[in-house]
């Protein structure tokens, strides 16, 4: 299966594509509906075995970046018009989502998107679609998912539409695991969840990263949590990467503190001043 | 009482045939959100392919069983080619367009198929004999005076429909592809994200709808002869769908039975007082009432939403 195979660099491929990276995104531009320019040259890379956080406000382009990689963009009439995306040195822009899942890159969409009328277990099994009829392997993987998410085992026969938000998020991640991915593109796992659950989900992400060697590229608005669990971070603003670095450095960065963590600065200021300050320091 | 039952059973058995056509609609609507106006034309195409192939094989003096099987296989291949072409040439090009555009496309497919089928296989009325007995039989003679008159063909049709529905239910509930089809019906984007290829799914679902059309064509054809009016069955399936709900397989079955039985009962018992001819419009009036009071139909999808 494509999941394990590492294709050699094609002759003429862009140089500087480090083989240690599972994903290399180079300067991509994305246009929706032929007119709306959403990403204006985003570059990032996900090293093998890393958790990389993609941070930014609403509409900054986090989800679009993930969808550009998994190529779910096409279904929303979006298009990568410039730039290149490599997966382990192989050019993957223009492939279908199915091709990417076969290469071990799978997206967990924002808002969970469970199959509401299927049971939790059926939801998980759909994740093994690309593995065809290998019953033993699928049964083993199912047990593994239940090991990481014991709560899903209890709820296995419930219709996914009637489970809680946290259980749906677990179902969505578990479903992705069933495809035996090496990279998961995780979009807003914290959305609409209680802080305690957010923490639980991120603990599982960390576990999967350490034990199953799954790399993560996760888009998050919850900068605080994301930077605690990630190794690296990229900050997007209006479709551009404005800052990137090790998660520890980003946590200490004054601007990140000010804009995203809300803890920086010199005491209280009036809202008007904040807005003014923010406008002046905008990275553009 | 005997007479009432006789009308009721006759109506139910006719309703089975409506169900078969409605079933094809439901399958495609669930999996792709497309209202497939071409289902009637597919019934016509399948029926014509079947009857003409059977004629040819019989002329070659093949034994009847072999000729019949080969004719079914031939018609199934034709339906597979149609499904493949629809996916390749129409759906793939129109992906993510508005529903109304896809609907218009299926109207286009309807006319194309009607023309193509009649060009290839001829435009006459062809009597079809698939070996089902056509004799009327009497049931429950001990209970009622004279028993209940039932057409044996109708009973076989009902058995065929029952088997088909049971087979489909198994396919949807127990197989990997069936599960993928239900996943696609629930959430296209999520299905794509886990690596289910939509193009393949659309081909499969149009193929299944084509095979359902083949069964419908075979049954209607043996009853009335294969002719152009089979294509108009699509219009009869519409009230069935409104009654049963566009997204429900059991709804299509029960809706068909209700329409079939209601139609006949209304004709026989209300007809005389209203000057007759009720059968033709009864189904549509029922559908209209449903649209007013229960637009999702009897079994329309309960919407599960949770944020």
């Amino acid at each position: 299966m494509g999941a394990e195979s590492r294709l050699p660099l094609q002759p003429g491929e862009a140089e500087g594509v480090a083989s240690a990276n599972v994903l290399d995104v180079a300067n991509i531009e994305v246009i929706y509906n032929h007119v709306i320019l959403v990403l204006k040259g985003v570059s990032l890379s996900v090293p093998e075995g890393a958790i990389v956080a993609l941070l930014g406000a609403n509409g900054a382009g986090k989800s679009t970046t993930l969808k550009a990689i998994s190529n779910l963009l096409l279904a929303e009439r979006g298009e990568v018009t410039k730039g290149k995306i490599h997966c382990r040195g192989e050019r993957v822009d223009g492939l279908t989502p199915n091709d990417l899942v076969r290469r071990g890159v799978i997206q967990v969409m924002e808002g969970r998107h469970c199959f509401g009328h299927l049971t939790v277990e059926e939801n998980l099994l759909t994740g093994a679609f690309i593995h065809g009829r290998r019953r033993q392997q699928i049964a083993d993987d199912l047990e593994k998912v239940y090991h990481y998410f014991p709560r899903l085992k209890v709820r296995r026969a419930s219709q996914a539409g009637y489970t809680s938000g946290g259980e749906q998020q677990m179902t969505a991640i578990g479903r992705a695991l069933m495809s035996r991915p090496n990279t998961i593109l995780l979009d807003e796992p914290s959305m609409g969840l209680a802080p305690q659950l957010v923490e639980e989900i991120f603990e599982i992400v960390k576990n999967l990263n350490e034990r199953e060697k799954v790399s993560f590229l996760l888009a998050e608005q919850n900068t605080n949590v994301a930077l605690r669990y990630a190794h690296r971070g990229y900050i997007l603003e209006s479709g551009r990467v404005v800052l990137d670095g090790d998660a520890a450095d980003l946590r200490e960065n004054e601007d990140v503190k000010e804009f995203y963590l809300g803890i920086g600065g010199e005491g209280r200021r009036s809202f008007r001043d904040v807005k003014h300050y923010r406008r002046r320091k905008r990275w553009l | 009482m005997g007479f009432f039952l006789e009308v009721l059973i006759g109506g139910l058995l006719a309703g089975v045939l409506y169900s078969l056509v409605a079933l094809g609609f439901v399958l495609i609507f669930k999996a792709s959100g497309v209202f497939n106006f071409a289902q009637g034309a597919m019934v016509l195409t399948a029926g014509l392919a079947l009857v003409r192939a059977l004629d040819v094989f019989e002329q070659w003096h093949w034994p009847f069983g072999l000729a019949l099987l080969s004719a079914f296989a031939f018609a199934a291949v034709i339906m597979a080619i149609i499904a493949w072409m629809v996916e390749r040439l129409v759906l793939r090009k129109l992906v993510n367009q508005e529903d109304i555009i896809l609907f218009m496309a299926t109207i286009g497919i309807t006319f194309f198929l009607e023309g193509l089928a009649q060009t290839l296989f001829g435009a006459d009325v062809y009597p079809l004999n698939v070996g089902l007995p056509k004799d009327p039989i009497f049931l429950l003679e001990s209970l009622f005076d004279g028993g209940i008159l039932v057409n044996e063909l109708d009973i076989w049709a009902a058995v065929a429909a029952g088997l088909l529905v049971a087979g489909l239910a198994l396919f949807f509930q127990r197989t990997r592809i069936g599960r993928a089809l239900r996943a696609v019906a629930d959430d296209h984007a999520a299905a794509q994200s886990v690596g289910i290829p939509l193009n393949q799914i659309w081909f499969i679902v149009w193929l299944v709808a084509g095979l359902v059309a083949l069964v419908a064509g075979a049954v209607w054809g043996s009853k009335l002869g294969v002719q152009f009016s089979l294509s108009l069955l699509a219009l009869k399936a519409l009230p069935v769908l409104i009654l049963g709900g566009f997204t429900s397989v059991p709804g299509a079955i029960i809706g068909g039975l209700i329409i079939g039985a209601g139609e006949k009962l209304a004709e026989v018992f209300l007809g005389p007082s209203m000057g007759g001819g009720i059968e033709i419009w009864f189904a549509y009036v029922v559908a209209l009432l449903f649209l007013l009071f229960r637009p999702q139909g009897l079994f329309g999808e309960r919407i599960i939403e949770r944020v």
Side-chain angles (χ1 to χ4, degrees), chain A residues 72 74-77 97-98 101 106-107 109 112-118 122 125-133 159 161-165 168 175, chain B residues 95-98 172-173 175-177 179-180 182-184 186-197 199-201 301-307:
Chain A
L72 291 172
L74 218 57
E76 297 177 7
R77 301 203 225 176
N98 171 265
V101 174
I106 191 165
Q107 175 161 3
M109 296 172 78
R112 278 86 78 169
H113 282 270
C114 292
F115 304 120
H117 294 88
L118 274 63
E122 285 175 328
L125 289 173
T126 56
F129 184 83
I130 57 160
H131 294 307
R133 309 178 186 285
Q159 266 192 32
Y162 291 124
T163 59
S164 74
Q168 290 191 7
R175 186 174 68 186
Chain B
V95 69
N96 299 319
Q97 298 290 341
E98 310 265 339
F172 273 98
Q173 295 298 329
T175 66
R176 177 177 84 100
I177 300 282
R179 197 162 49 226
R182 284 188 295 142
V184 171
D186 255 13
D187 192 328
H188 285 207
Q192 248 188 320
S193 80
V194 296
I196 297 173
N199 296 327
Q200 209 178 315
I201 293 296
E301 203 128 89
R302 265 192 302 174
I303 296 164
I304 302 178
E305 205 165 317
R306 179 151 204 167
V307 188

Side-chain angles (χ1 to χ4, degrees), chain B residues 288-299:
Chain B
L288 210 59
L289 289 176
F290 261 82
L291 282 179
L292 282 175
F293 296 111
R294 200 181 158 84
Q296 77 272 38
L298 284 176
F299 300 90

Side-chain angles (χ1 to χ4, degrees), chain B residues 122-185:
Chain B
D124 291 329
V125 177
Y126 301 98
L128 173 65
N129 174 19
V130 291
L132 293 178
K134 288 185 179 173
D135 305 322
I137 53 172
F138 292 92
L139 294 175
L140 300 175
E141 267 177 295
S142 54
L143 226 64
F144 302 107
D145 193 24
I148 298 171
L149 178 72
V150 179
N151 191 341
E152 208 176 332
L153 176 72
D154 286 341
I155 293 184
W156 283 110
V159 170
L163 286 178
L164 186 73
V165 170
L168 283 176
L170 275 180
F171 170 66
F172 273 98
Q173 295 298 329
R174 296 262 175 262
T175 66
R176 177 177 84 100
I177 300 282
R179 197 162 49 226
L181 284 170
R182 284 188 295 142
V184 171

Side-chain angles (χ1 to χ4, degrees), chain A residues 153-189:
Chain A
K153 190 161 189 171
V154 181
R155 302 285 268 150
R156 65 204 292 176
S158 318
Q159 266 192 32
Y162 291 124
T163 59
S164 74
E167 286 159 351
Q168 290 191 7
Q169 185 65 61
M170 294 177 186
T171 305
I173 297 176
R175 186 174 68 186
L177 283 176
M178 292 295 290
S179 72
R180 298 199 162 182
N182 54 48
T183 311
I184 294 181
L185 311 170
L186 190 52
D187 200 351
E188 294 271 346

Side-chain angles (χ1 to χ4, degrees), chain A residues 59-98:
Chain A
K62 306 185 296 292
S63 293
T64 301
T65 308
L66 295 195
K67 284 179 192 156
I69 298 170
S70 66
N71 218 347
L72 291 172
L73 262 191
L74 218 57
E76 297 177 7
R77 301 203 225 176
E79 203 182 352
V80 178
T81 47
K82 280 183 196 156
K84 290 173 187 161
I85 302 170
H86 288 86
C87 167
R88 296 174 188 282
E90 184 197 7
R91 185 97 185 252
V92 292
D93 39 316
L95 295 184
T96 64
N98 171 265

